[in-house]
Amino acid sequence: MLDAEAALTRAQAALGLAPASAAAAVTAAAAVTGHYDVRDLALRSRAGGNPVIPLVADLTAATAELDPAAGEFVHRGATSQDILDTATMLVASRTLATVLADLGRAAGALARLAAEHRDTPLPGRTLTQHAVPTTFGLKAVGWRSLLLAGHDRLAAVRNSLPAQLGGAAGTLAAVAAFAGADDGSAGEGAGARDRAGAHDSDRAHDSDSARDGDIGLRLLAGYAAETGLAEPALPWHTLRTPVADLAGALAFAGGALGKVAADVLVLSRTEIGELSEGSGGGSSAMPHKANPVRATLIATAARQVPALAAVLFGSLAAEDERPAGAWHAEWQPLREALRLVGGAARDAVELVEDLRVHPHRMRANLDATDGLIATEHLAAALTALIGRGEARTLLDRAVRRAVEEDVELEDALRADPALAAALTPQRLRHLLDPVTYLGSAPALVDRALRPTGP
């Protein structure tokens, strides 16, 4: 909020709406954070419903101590929501810088894992059960694709985060009024427009020229430049696209991180043991435990962010030119969503950079069903030899016998005369080996890791 207030005065000074000395004094006063007690601001904010009101009083006093004439230029032409919305976008932009860096780092670690385990087979699982073989490389590169998609969405949102400046009801009327008062002219900032040499009739349909002639638009552009945020086309007091877009990107990123965590949590179960965290957490009661703590923390965040995003989307339905309640309802959910996704991204870096892969357990799990994981491969081969219907009938019979009699599928197949006649022992063993049925998984890994762009 202090940065937003200082930027506003600097932007006004650049347009001749405030003395350069006032801009320097406000900026200096805003930089001395010892002047401001956050707890006290929170307590005092209840009187007006937001923390900007008491902050402006404190900043004005601190500025006047440095330059008695500069205090009147604090918060000039702005409303509380202008400052708090701009501050929110600044917080989001700075937070997302860290999140984006962590997502990029985690994606890089996953690329290395995918390349290393391009051909490492493990059971593919659908609806909790073994399906067909896949590779860990394909799983890891899938995780990477989600993190990169989250990175792209957050980067796009960060680049579009706008400053907010509209005045009391989004018209910027106070800007023109103060400009006219300072100039000694009357009527809707006429003096400011005259100084800029504007002719409204020549500029009605030209946005760039309109900015040159309209002091409010010129200040909005300068203010956005001072904050480093995007310049909005309109004041967005009740047009909450920026917050909704940010909420959606945060929810996606949280879910993408949550997918990685969900898979790690399943695959690190004791009875599966295909993955483990390099620095698992201990237990207060059981010395043998090495809990997947990083994945647990990420999963915790992923389950909370969608609900927070729902509140933020709900604030799109905001009445009038400035709302009662819808805006206020955004503050805590947005803060928590940023914190949760930021923490999850940080934990993801630690998780994937130190993730332990256990190929021997993957192979043991492939063999756990005594060949049943190869039935799709067998069905395709037998269909070419004896037709689809007959192949399915024979395979169903062999699978049922293998399960009911607890024998290996190979033995059940060989005991069936029709199947024994259709497949040689060598061909049968080949079809039953999960490693021979990885499909395009290695090629998909290669394609996903192939550099893109010019």
Side-chain angles (χ1 to χ4, degrees), residues 48 80 123 144 163 185 194 205 216 234 293 308 333 335-336 345 364 370-371 390 411 423 439:
S80 296
R144 174 179 176 266
S185 304
D194 289 343
H205 302 292
L234 296 168
V293 174
L308 298 170
R335 179 194 68 184
E336 289 305 310
D370 295 325
E390 183 66 13
D411 294 335
L423 296 171

Side-chain angles (χ1 to χ4, degrees), residues 192-441:
R193 287 197 298 275
D194 289 343
R195 288 197 305 274
H199 298 285
D200 290 347
S201 61
D202 296 333
R203 297 172 177 181
H205 302 292
D206 186 311
S207 60
D208 291 335
S209 296
R211 177 185 297 166
D212 293 339
D214 188 292
I215 192 63
L217 298 185
R218 292 172 63 202
L219 180 58
L220 178 58
Y223 182 49
E226 284 288 345
T227 62
L229 297 168
E231 179 188 349
L234 296 168
W236 45 279
H237 293 145
T238 51
L239 309 175
R240 307 306 285 176
T241 302
V243 175
D245 285 346
L246 178 56
L250 288 169
F252 183 96
L257 291 160
K259 162 61 176 170
V260 180
D263 280 348
V264 171
L265 289 170
V266 168
L267 298 182
S268 62
R269 289 176 180 271
T270 303
E271 58 271 25
I272 296 176
E274 295 171 4
L275 299 175
S276 61
E277 290 192 12
S279 54
S283 164
S284 63
M286 297 166 284
H288 70 280
K289 293 292 290 295
N291 297 318
V293 174
R294 298 291 168 269
T296 298
L297 293 173
I298 296 168
T300 299
R303 282 162 172 76
Q304 296 179 70
V305 178
L308 298 170
V311 175
L312 297 172
F313 275 106
S315 290
L316 281 167
E319 73 282 0
D320 299 327
E321 279 61 55
R322 288 178 58 213
W327 172 52
H328 307 74
E330 293 173 349
W331 304 345
Q332 183 174 342
L334 182 53
R335 179 194 68 184
E336 289 305 310
L338 286 165
R339 292 175 64 183
L340 287 165
V341 173
R346 175 205 60 204
D347 289 333
V349 171
E350 298 179 4
L351 171 64
V352 299
E353 285 189 340
D354 204 21
L355 190 65
R356 308 294 172 84
V357 182
H358 306 298
H360 66 288
R361 291 297 299 268
M362 294 175 178
R363 179 67 211 209
N365 289 332
L366 283 168
D367 296 334
T369 57
D370 295 325
L372 294 178
I373 200 168
T375 56
E376 185 182 81
H377 198 187
L378 285 162
L382 286 169
T383 294
L385 297 173
I386 60 178
R388 181 178 178 181
E390 183 66 13
R392 183 58 187 260
T393 298
L394 293 176
L395 275 174
D396 284 349
R397 187 166 64 206
V399 167
R400 186 165 55 252
R401 180 181 179 188
V403 172
E404 292 176 353
E405 299 180 13
D406 194 22
V407 298
E408 293 189 6
L409 181 60
E410 182 178 0
D411 294 335
L413 292 168
R414 286 180 175 175
D416 190 308
L419 286 170
L423 296 171
T424 65
Q426 294 81 5
R427 177 65 173 159
L428 181 57
R429 281 192 293 273
H430 172 80
L431 294 172
L432 287 168
D433 186 352
V435 177
T436 67
Y437 198 60
L438 299 177
S440 300

